[in-house]
Amino acid sequence: MTASPPFGMLAELTHRCPLHCPYCSNPLELVRRDRELTTDQWRSVLTQARALGVLQVHLSGGEPLARRDLPELVGHAHGLGCYVNLVTSGLGLTHERMADLARRGVEHVQLSVQAADEERADIIAGARAAKHKKAAAAAIREAGLPLTVNVVLHRRNHDQVGAIIDLAEELGADRLELANTQFYGWALRNRAALMPTRAQLDAAEPVVRAARRRLAGRVEVVYVLADYQDRLPKPCMHGWGARQLTVAPDGTVLPCPSAHVITSLEFDNVTERPLAEIWYESSSFNAYRGEEWMREPCRSCDRRGVDFGGCRCQAFLLTGAAENTDPVCALSPHHGVVEQAVAPAVDVPFVMRG
Ligand code: FES
């Protein structure tokens, strides 16, 4: 199958992060600072990505502000003609720093928020972070940039959906992403503690619907479903190796941010192979493109071109083979593992990251 060029690149500049969120989807084993790509290597990655067709660059982590060369990398990506999105916890984002980054070419900021009130937010973040986030949101608005507030929802903050929406409005968000936890990396370790109850999900839906009506034209409210409780799998990444690529802090190039969990694949590194070659020719990117790789029930399913069999990472994590149908699908012979995971559980404590 011939792939189209990628549209976006998630550049995970570092895994270093001041927060310790239990829902972190980064790998259990983080890339150490001494294995991170250098400034010149990141510049080369950005140049190669633009030549390959990438238009949107998401500078992320960990916390991208932990990289001293962030301003230079922003300037370089902007100079190449990329739309630059900064994905941040907001810690360390002063007015001066934000103004400088905006001048150099950041065009949008995505700020994470953990809960509606400071006390709970700081418990979830494992750090005194909430106050700084308010200041960061003000700095983003002052720089004149559009702001997306991103909140990962789980058992310990689901009851706050209404108050979180109010907070996002107060922070001046243009867009609010309410994303139920996806269970990869560290989050999978905390699955029992994070899993929302059916009652929480049922209560949140009318609140989100009402907010969408009330805020129409002012704040876009996006609600990412809790896919374990769904019967249809999500069209993960809009298809494997179809639109976006991820470059990990050490230069490993991944078809999706969580693909490292698929230990049956070998991933190339941009320090050893050109990015274009990895995108078009590598075994990892070609593994699940198209439909040839599909097994039943996906192979003969009418929805195979709609949801692509769901998420390859989830299929691997929960069934041991990435070619299997994502077990979130009610037609999957492995669907029982998902049903078991959503069975009512008693509250269990988080294992904090780091
Ligand atoms: Fe990797 Fe879904 S998270 S394919």
Side-chain angles (χ1 to χ4, degrees), residues 184 236-237 240 256 258 311-313:
Y184 310 104
C236 204
M237 302 304 294
W240 184 265
C256 88
S258 301
C311 174
R312 304 283 52 81
C313 298

Side-chain angles (χ1 to χ4, degrees), residues 11 14 17 20 42 83 86 91 105 112 150 153 159 204 208 224 260 276 287 352:
T14 177
C17 185
H20 306 279
W42 273 117
Y83 178 87
L86 178 68
L91 268 71
S112 68
N150 177 276
L153 295 176
D159 59 305
V208 172
V224 179
H260 49 81
M352 302 300 282

Side-chain angles (χ1 to χ4, degrees), residues 29-47:
E29 192 76 31
L30 298 177
V31 172
R32 290 195 326 260
R33 184 181 192 154
D34 59 2
R35 290 186 48 229
E36 290 176 6
L37 295 184
T38 63
T39 307
D40 282 347
Q41 285 171 322
W42 273 117
R43 287 172 65 95
S44 164
V45 170
L46 292 163
T47 304

Side-chain angles (χ1 to χ4, degrees), residues 120-133:
R120 203 181 311 184
D122 287 351
I123 290 172
I124 295 169
R128 285 179 184 267
K131 243 192 207 92
H132 298 287
K133 285 167 187 277

